[in-house]
Amino acid sequence: MINKKPTFRKLTPSFGSSILVKQHIDTVDKNGAYWHFHPELELVYINKGQGKTHIGNHLSYFNNSQLILIGSNLPHNGFTDRLTANGTETTIQFKSNFLGEDFLNIPETAAIASLFQRAKQGIRFKMETKAVIGSKIENLMEYTGLERVIKFLEILNYLAFTDDYTLLNADGFAFETEAQDSGKIDIIFKYVNTNFQNHISLDEIADKVSMTVPAFCRYFKKATGKTFTQLVNEYRVVHATKLLIESQMSITDICFECGFNNFSHFNKTFNDITGKSASHYRKEIKLIIQ
């Protein structure tokens, strides 16, 4: 049964701590992922794994390590296809004022305040930063008390000054999170994630959230800044990137496997979303792997 309650998540650090540090080593059940938000910022480091990154309006596939900073109240859906059996995920969750209300108002923390502001769009850090910071994040598990806070401030300070990153919602549009809406969005995303390889009619998806088609279209466009067709195509293209990376399937077979029923439409949509053709994308990946 689908839970339609608002998916505001309350996070509670351990007693005597102002930041929450968690580490997952085992494979995580992808069915446990859901669309949620919380006032805490979230810094996530995966040293090895694969999965979807769905943060705000950004949707992509990753096939290696990943370091992401998610801003306060920025909705995200976890890493739904994540495979961490051979890797580790470390998550740090904290409020912007975890060192007091005036923490970000002093000159020495101006760069960190700017980092937290950028995080509202979601930040993905690149290879150089991951190489420097990844192990430091994992090592936080070894510290407690003030020593952990000091080590964490060193991490934030580095991230605040590096330019080795990409904004995930760089178009400037971000979700205006409302608790009463997040349950509907969660239902929609879960349904698309399960059924994107098949045709999903507007009647079908509108019925899932008990709305008429016109009301659904207005609601979805206002909530996400895109049409429902755009969302489905993004899921299909993200799945195509996964298959281009991990399989030897022909591009034609990938087209139909992802739910497209027209090869020309697949090529155009893939190029519109990724900025390159599927064949160019695969060639680039092979060069990176080599």
Side-chain angles (χ1 to χ4, degrees):
M1 182 177 180
I2 298 173
N3 178 13
K4 294 188 178 182
K5 292 181 180 179
T7 48
F8 170 87
R9 179 183 284 180
K10 182 175 175 59
L11 305 175
T12 306
S14 58
F15 181 76
S17 177
S18 58
I19 59 177
L20 178 63
V21 183
K22 300 184 295 183
Q23 198 165 84
H24 301 287
I25 298 175
D26 298 328
T27 303
V28 179
D29 179 8
K30 68 180 182 179
N31 294 320
Y34 62 97
W35 188 247
H36 67 281
F37 64 95
H38 39 73
E40 294 81 4
L41 291 90
E42 185 168 320
L43 182 63
V44 183
Y45 175 62
I46 299 173
N47 63 14
K48 186 177 182 180
Q50 301 129 335
K52 289 191 183 77
T53 302
H54 196 171
I55 298 172
N57 273 325
H58 173 86
L59 182 64
S60 63
Y61 177 75
F62 70 92
N63 187 43
N64 202 340
S65 61
Q66 178 150 259
L67 176 58
I68 287 180
L69 180 60
I70 303 168
S72 175
N73 289 323
L74 177 59
H76 51 286
N77 195 38
F79 305 105
T80 53
D81 293 330
R82 184 174 63 243
L83 302 174
T84 55
N86 296 315
T88 301
E89 175 192 314
T90 306
T91 302
I92 307 166
Q93 293 163 328
F94 59 99
K95 290 185 176 179
S96 59
N97 62 348
F98 73 99
L99 286 182
E101 294 297 331
D102 294 327
F103 169 54
L104 298 178
N105 295 328
I106 60 175
E108 290 84 355
T109 58
I112 293 177
S114 179
L115 172 70
F116 291 173
Q117 188 66 29
R118 292 196 301 275
K120 292 180 179 181
Q121 294 174 279
I123 304 172
R124 173 183 281 144
F125 297 96
K126 298 180 182 179
M127 291 182 65
E128 180 182 319
T129 301
K130 286 189 293 185
V132 173
I133 293 300
S135 61
K136 294 182 184 295
I137 291 173
E138 292 178 327
N139 291 340
L140 279 181
M141 296 293 295
E142 301 174 8
Y143 302 101
T144 58
L146 182 59
E147 196 171 10
R148 174 180 281 187
V149 172
I150 291 171
K151 295 294 183 182
F152 181 52
L153 284 174
E154 290 175 359
I155 290 169
L156 289 180
N157 191 57
Y158 186 96
L159 297 179
F161 284 99
T162 183
D163 57 3
D164 184 46
Y165 67 84
T166 301
L167 294 178
L168 299 181
N169 292 275
D171 57 1
F173 182 89
F175 278 82
E176 293 296 327
T177 305
E178 295 181 21
Q180 65 268 29
D181 288 341
S182 63
K184 288 181 181 179
I185 292 292
D186 185 39
I187 292 169
I188 294 165
F189 287 166
K190 278 186 174 178
Y191 192 78
V192 174
N193 190 50
T194 304
N195 297 282
F196 66 86
Q197 290 163 291
N198 305 311
H199 174 68
I200 305 174
S201 69
L202 286 173
D203 286 316
E204 181 181 354
I205 192 63
D207 184 63
K208 293 294 176 184
V209 287
S210 304
M211 300 176 77
T212 65
V213 169
F216 170 82
C217 290
R218 288 193 299 271
Y219 162 79
F220 192 79
K221 180 73 173 181
K222 182 180 178 182
T224 69
K226 64 183 71 173
T227 67
F228 180 70
T229 298
Q230 286 175 306
L231 176 76
V232 174
N233 283 338
E234 286 178 4
Y235 265 86
R236 289 171 175 169
V237 167
V238 167
H239 190 60
T241 63
K242 170 184 169 72
L243 296 178
L244 287 166
I245 294 168
E246 297 182 352
S247 79
Q248 300 300 316
M249 294 173 64
S250 70
I251 294 176
T252 302
D253 287 342
I254 288 174
C255 159
F256 294 106
E257 175 67 19
C258 293
F260 290 96
N261 56 17
N262 181 289
F263 189 65
S264 296
H265 179 52
F266 165 75
N267 278 330
K268 182 180 185 306
T269 304
F270 192 97
N271 190 74
D272 288 345
I273 292 174
T274 68
K276 61 196 71 175
S277 68
S279 59
H280 189 195
Y281 184 92
R282 176 171 264 176
K283 286 177 183 177
E284 282 190 347
I285 292 298
K286 284 183 178 179
L287 288 173
I288 291 171
I289 293 173
Q290 291 172 351

